[in-house]
Amino acid sequence: MHLSRYLKTYSSPERPGRILLVATRRCAVLELSESLWQRLADGGELSDRERETFARLGVLVPDRDAEREEMRETFDKLNSESRRFKGTVTLTLECNLACPYCYEEPFRGRFAMNAATADLLVQRLTERMAEGLDVTVDFYGGEALMRLDLLHEIASRLRDVADRRGVGFTFNMFSNGVLLTRSVVEELLPLGLSAVRLTIDGPPDIHDAQRPFVSGKGSFATIMANLVEVHRLVAIDLGGNYTRDNYRRFPELLDMMIAAGIEPARLKEVSFSPVMPRADGSVSGDRASTCACTAEPWAIEAAVYLRGEVIKRGFPVAKIKPSACMIEFANDVVVGYDGGLYKCPVFMGQEELKVGTLAKGICDYRQSHNLDVWKNDECLECAYLPLCFGGCRFFRKLQTGAIDGVDCRRAMLDASLETFVRQDLAAGSRKS
């Protein structure tokens, strides 16, 4: 047996003689004595139990060359074995908010899915169900709830098909929260509503400036009232968009939520993100307040700081896990309001990144999306590969104008992974 190449180790100053070992392929975290780690590193004698445990957790592998080849074939294997189809369905590009940083601004307008496109969508998803696939739909906008009637109709029809076929069907929503009332949630739950991704951009003064109604009026009070009403009914994945100048005030939002009666443990996940440039690379206001590269020092500092503040207050955070751009997953597709197909919501409106239509199906996009971009020696030898797989293709396109290389996450993970691991360990010890 040999050591995996996908390992990171960290010393433990507070516990001399101990180290933290992170096996990134399994996202397993172990605390070992330095002497045991030395035995592992030197190929020393191990008990049968030790050898079995380290192999199961991905620390030891039978053959390093075979491990590398398995990593190259990761998505070939996952896609061939997948029994799930996921569609991100854009019901409308209309929105009742006027966020100045909205990445959809270059192609936003009074556009909505028509009845014929909705029928074709249901037909295509019915075909996937006939193949025995479970189907998940993420309803998207604009603001998806501005077409509640259409959302209800599509979900009802797919629910009926799934019941007849004996396969799974659930749906999620991306929503700004303005129309997410208790009655709406109660109406949609029987149809398969599973979770809602909702956005609040910090305390009221920041949020209302960044996410006002079209009229200019602030939206914070309306969204917060709805969140209080529905967070016990449906899983809420709470996000928010910060800038370099305001991210340290986001904990005020968390405290306000608790004071309003929101139970932290009831939420599915809380994760804040930096404001990104629009889909065409343009920005609103101060360019330095947007983030177009995961290695920007202020963005790394903000991510570590906010994750810690979220955990401190008892809200759930995203766990360290294998991660990849959705373009790698053959059964993940974005459906535009007009039936156009894409591999990422940010690519909507960019004809060169369109991968087909509901009417004609999906074309070969390996070259246009540079699917094999991470299959190079540097990436395949990198301990972070399982957490990255080439990073975000949109970020790369922002930086160079094309998907011509990887969005390397090494600097970001060098600066943050150890802290994330220790945050999780500390949170676990507090719960126990």
Side-chain angles (χ1 to χ4, degrees), residues 112 166 196 200 286 364 423:
V196 178
I200 303 180
D286 180 10
D364 185 351
Q423 286 174 341

Side-chain angles (χ1 to χ4, degrees), residues 194-400:
S194 177
V196 178
R197 173 69 175 182
L198 187 149
T199 303
I200 303 180
D201 280 4
D205 60 316
I206 294 175
H207 174 95
D208 286 342
Q210 294 189 174
R211 300 181 72 80
F213 283 104
V214 173
S215 66
K217 178 184 175 183
S219 63
F220 181 91
T222 300
I223 299 169
M224 180 64 78
N226 286 341
L227 178 57
V228 170
E229 282 291 305
V230 305
H231 82 282
R232 295 182 181 87
L233 298 179
V234 65
I236 299 292
D237 185 355
L238 182 70
N241 304 290
Y242 57 79
T243 70
R244 180 167 58 182
D245 297 327
N246 67 28
Y247 73 86
R248 287 195 171 273
R249 292 194 56 205
F250 271 58
E252 295 175 33
L253 167 64
L254 302 174
D255 293 336
M256 291 184 69
M257 289 166 58
I258 294 171
I262 292 170
E263 301 175 45
R266 290 274 190 168
L267 271 59
K268 178 183 178 183
E269 185 178 299
V270 175
S271 57
F272 301 123
S273 305
V275 172
M276 298 191 306
R278 298 185 180 119
D280 63 357
S282 64
V283 297
S284 173
D286 180 10
R287 176 173 290 273
S289 290
T290 64
C291 177
C293 175
T294 55
E296 292 183 35
W298 76 266
I300 296 172
E301 178 184 317
V304 171
Y305 167 74
L306 288 173
R307 192 174 190 270
E309 293 296 309
V310 170
I311 291 173
K312 186 188 302 182
R313 289 162 175 81
F315 290 94
V317 296
K319 300 303 180 185
I320 300 165
K321 59 185 178 182
S323 179
C325 180
M326 69 176 289
I327 72 170
E328 301 285 355
F329 299 95
N331 283 349
D332 283 20
V333 178
V334 177
V335 183
Y337 76 94
D338 59 355
L341 303 180
Y342 303 87
K343 290 300 293 182
C344 175
V346 189
F347 294 160
M348 286 192 296
Q350 301 183 55
E351 193 65 26
E352 73 276 14
L353 292 175
K354 193 174 185 178
V355 299
T357 66
L358 285 174
K360 296 181 179 179
I362 297 179
C363 62
D364 185 351
Y365 55 89
R366 295 189 65 85
Q367 185 172 352
S368 63
H369 288 63
N370 209 346
L371 284 189
D372 294 332
V373 67
W374 56 269
K375 294 181 181 179
N376 58 73
D377 288 342
E378 183 177 359
C379 288
L380 288 166
E381 293 294 325
C382 178
Y384 297 130
L385 178 61
L387 307 179
C388 171
F389 286 107
C392 174
R393 305 308 194 265
F394 174 58
F395 274 171
R396 180 66 185 189
K397 191 170 185 292
L398 285 176
Q399 294 156 23
T400 68

Side-chain angles (χ1 to χ4, degrees), residues 37 84 108 127 147 182 204 252 301 306 366 371 390:
W37 168 244
R84 174 198 63 87
R108 165 83 28 98
E127 291 167 0
R147 288 304 315 271
R182 185 182 187 91
E252 295 175 33
E301 178 184 317
L306 288 173
R366 295 189 65 85
L371 284 189

Side-chain angles (χ1 to χ4, degrees), residues 21-272:
L21 172 63
V22 182
T24 57
R25 197 172 175 193
R26 300 280 189 275
C27 289
V29 179
L30 303 85
E31 183 183 281
L32 308 176
S33 67
E34 289 181 350
S35 59
L36 177 53
W37 168 244
Q38 201 60 54
R39 270 194 289 144
L40 277 168
D42 294 342
E45 287 297 317
L46 298 172
S47 69
D48 290 343
R49 183 177 180 181
E50 287 172 334
R51 189 176 298 104
E52 186 278 328
T53 298
F54 289 129
R56 176 170 50 84
L57 296 177
V59 177
L60 291 176
V61 295
D63 185 300
R64 283 169 59 88
D65 291 337
E67 177 190 42
R68 177 182 160 119
E69 189 58 28
E70 286 173 5
M71 290 300 292
R72 285 181 57 88
E73 298 173 355
T74 294
F75 297 103
D76 294 333
K77 185 173 188 295
L78 287 175
N79 289 328
S80 67
E81 296 176 353
S82 174
R83 306 309 303 161
R84 174 198 63 87
F85 186 90
K86 182 176 181 180
T88 300
V89 176
T90 310
L91 296 178
T92 178
L93 291 179
E94 292 187 79
C95 188
N96 44 18
L97 297 186
C99 309
Y101 58 73
C102 180
Y103 78 80
E104 290 182 355
E105 183 64 29
F107 52 84
R108 165 83 28 98
R110 298 180 66 84
F111 304 113
M113 183 175 287
N114 61 33
T117 302
D119 287 343
L120 192 53
L121 169 69
V122 172
Q123 178 185 330
R124 293 293 180 250
L125 293 180
T126 296
E127 291 167 0
R128 301 288 80 77
M129 291 181 183
E131 297 169 2
L133 299 182
D134 295 331
V135 168
T136 299
V137 172
D138 287 350
F139 287 109
Y140 197 75
E143 171 51 42
L145 287 177
M146 291 186 73
R147 288 304 315 271
L148 177 60
D149 56 339
L150 186 60
L151 189 160
H152 191 289
E153 179 189 350
I154 293 171
S156 296
R157 294 169 65 182
L158 292 174
R159 173 83 276 161
D160 290 344
V161 173
D163 289 344
R164 292 198 305 271
R165 295 283 183 179
V167 297
F169 169 69
T170 59
F171 70 92
N172 310 305
M173 292 189 301
F174 287 79
S175 175
N176 59 35
V178 168
L179 301 175
L180 190 71
T181 62
R182 185 182 187 91
S183 61
V184 165
V185 171
E186 290 174 338
E187 173 186 346
L188 296 177
L189 282 172
L191 303 181
L193 175 61
S194 177
V196 178
R197 173 69 175 182
L198 187 149
T199 303
I200 303 180
D201 280 4
D205 60 316
I206 294 175
H207 174 95
D208 286 342
Q210 294 189 174
R211 300 181 72 80
F213 283 104
V214 173
S215 66
K217 178 184 175 183
S219 63
F220 181 91
T222 300
I223 299 169
M224 180 64 78
N226 286 341
L227 178 57
V228 170
E229 282 291 305
V230 305
H231 82 282
R232 295 182 181 87
L233 298 179
V234 65
I236 299 292
D237 185 355
L238 182 70
N241 304 290
Y242 57 79
T243 70
R244 180 167 58 182
D245 297 327
N246 67 28
Y247 73 86
R248 287 195 171 273
R249 292 194 56 205
F250 271 58
E252 295 175 33
L253 167 64
L254 302 174
D255 293 336
M256 291 184 69
M257 289 166 58
I258 294 171
I262 292 170
E263 301 175 45
R266 290 274 190 168
L267 271 59
K268 178 183 178 183
E269 185 178 299
V270 175
S271 57
F272 301 123

